[in-house]
Amino acid sequence: MDQDVIQRARTLAERLIRQAGAVALERFDDIVELSDKDDFGDVVTEVDHLAEAIILPGIQSAFPDHAIHSEEAGSLGGESDWLWLIDPLDGTNNFAIGLPVFTTSITLMYKREPVLGVVYEPLTDRLFVSAAGEGVFVNGKPMHVKPAARLSKANIGWIQGHAVRNDPRAVRLRHHLDVSFKRMMRLWAPALQWCMLAKGDIDGIVLYNSEGDDLYSGILMVKEAGGVVVDFEGRPFTGMQTEPYLIACHPDNQEELLRTVRAGLAMAEGKA
């Protein structure tokens, strides 16, 4: 793995993501174009496309041999060990209804592992950056996950894929988590929730079948902030999966959070 590539990619991503964020900030609460994206209720705005029009050419010009996958444009470039994942507007539905909870996410993968994650929240001007082995920072300040003394008083983020919708198993698990913790949050802006966990603002995340272009930047940030990311069986999460089921938290809270999730799944499946 070429560290020079990662450092050049970091400089580029930070510049491009701020430019894309400026467009989102300018257009927020003043949408001109809005259309349905799929059958699951997701939408796309002109800002999604405008942000891509900033980010994609910049990457292609600087790294022509790298592959890219972006939320709206799909796959670009040929086969490569290097893969950029772009979510030009994470939280598009929030953006579309005037809810100020959205980010832009840029991730660089090397051989299916995240090595760079950059997330920008334009409304607060918070730039979250993580490179493998170098920690994670918000506007240059180091971030660390924090242990929760009592998970019953914890704030837990819930992330689910668009296709999950009201799947009965997911609904029952969600209800179990809702009554087990102080607050179970659903922001519909996954990248921001991962950053909040890495920053120590929330205590954990439960992710139910949600792989997207925003996922791997968040996973890298939590791991670099000292957190753990494991599947529902407790196995460390590595690589890329099309249907991940994960928990993330401080290592001290891993077993209790897993027990709570497993109890919820048992109830959902009629085994408790």
Side-chain angles (χ1 to χ4, degrees):
M1 182 169 58
D2 191 333
Q3 292 297 325
D4 178 64
V5 170
I6 296 174
Q7 291 306 314
R8 289 193 295 117
R10 176 175 180 167
T11 300
L12 176 68
E14 290 180 8
R15 175 172 61 84
L16 294 176
I17 206 167
R18 284 189 178 277
Q19 292 175 2
V23 172
L25 185 61
E26 179 185 358
R27 300 291 182 112
F28 178 61
D29 221 17
D30 189 25
I31 295 176
V32 176
E33 297 177 14
L34 176 67
S35 59
D36 291 333
K37 181 177 178 180
D38 51 37
D39 294 331
F40 306 124
D42 203 10
V43 298
V44 61
T45 73
E46 77 269 18
V47 172
D48 295 82
H49 297 296
L50 290 171
E52 280 190 335
I54 292 169
I55 296 170
L56 301 186
I59 295 173
Q60 290 171 318
S61 176
F63 299 99
D65 296 332
H66 289 193
I68 302 174
H69 188 276
S70 189
E71 182 84 6
E72 309 306 332
S75 296
L76 305 170
E79 292 293 323
S80 174
D81 288 338
W82 299 93
L83 170 65
W84 293 79
L85 301 175
I86 313 299
D87 192 336
L89 188 58
D90 178 52
T92 299
N93 283 278
N94 294 342
F95 186 90
I97 63 173
L99 183 64
V101 182
F102 56 89
T103 66
T104 297
S105 173
I106 298 178
T107 312
L108 179 59
M109 311 286 289
Y110 180 71
K111 293 185 176 180
R112 300 179 62 83
E113 292 289 347
V115 294
L116 175 69
V118 182
V119 174
Y120 184 54
E121 187 182 16
L123 282 171
T124 59
D125 192 29
R126 293 194 295 185
L127 180 67
F128 302 89
V129 181
S130 182
E134 298 183 11
V136 57
F137 303 85
V138 54
N139 293 347
K141 182 179 179 180
M143 302 196 304
H144 305 281
V145 296
K146 296 177 182 177
R150 296 174 57 193
L151 272 190
S152 61
K153 299 295 184 181
N155 296 307
I156 303 295
W158 170 269
I159 300 171
Q160 70 178 53
H162 292 293
V164 174
R165 302 172 78 177
N166 289 321
D167 171 76
R169 184 172 181 260
V171 170
R172 294 185 185 110
L173 173 59
R174 207 165 60 218
H175 174 72
H176 179 75
L177 299 178
D178 199 29
V179 300
S180 297
F181 304 116
K182 174 184 175 182
R183 182 172 290 116
M184 200 270 290
M185 302 170 55
R186 301 178 66 190
L187 295 186
W188 293 106
L192 183 57
Q193 288 191 215
W194 286 104
C195 292
M196 291 175 69
L197 176 57
K199 190 170 176 286
D201 291 336
I202 63 175
D203 304 295
I205 284 174
V206 177
L207 179 142
Y208 193 99
N209 189 7
S210 178
E211 192 210 33
D213 295 304
D214 53 71
L215 174 61
Y216 298 100
S217 61
I219 286 177
L220 177 63
M221 290 192 185
V222 167
K223 288 182 177 180
E224 288 292 320
V228 292
V229 182
V230 301
D231 64 20
F232 285 1
E233 300 301 318
R235 297 170 298 208
F237 181 79
T238 59
M240 300 175 71
Q241 295 183 18
T242 56
E243 295 185 358
Y245 296 82
L246 308 174
I247 70 152
C249 59
H250 189 280
D252 291 353
N253 300 127
Q254 175 182 335
E255 290 306 315
E256 185 176 354
L257 182 53
L258 269 177
R259 284 197 301 270
T260 305
V261 168
R262 288 168 178 166
L265 289 171
M267 293 177 62
E269 295 163 0
K271 298 177 181 179

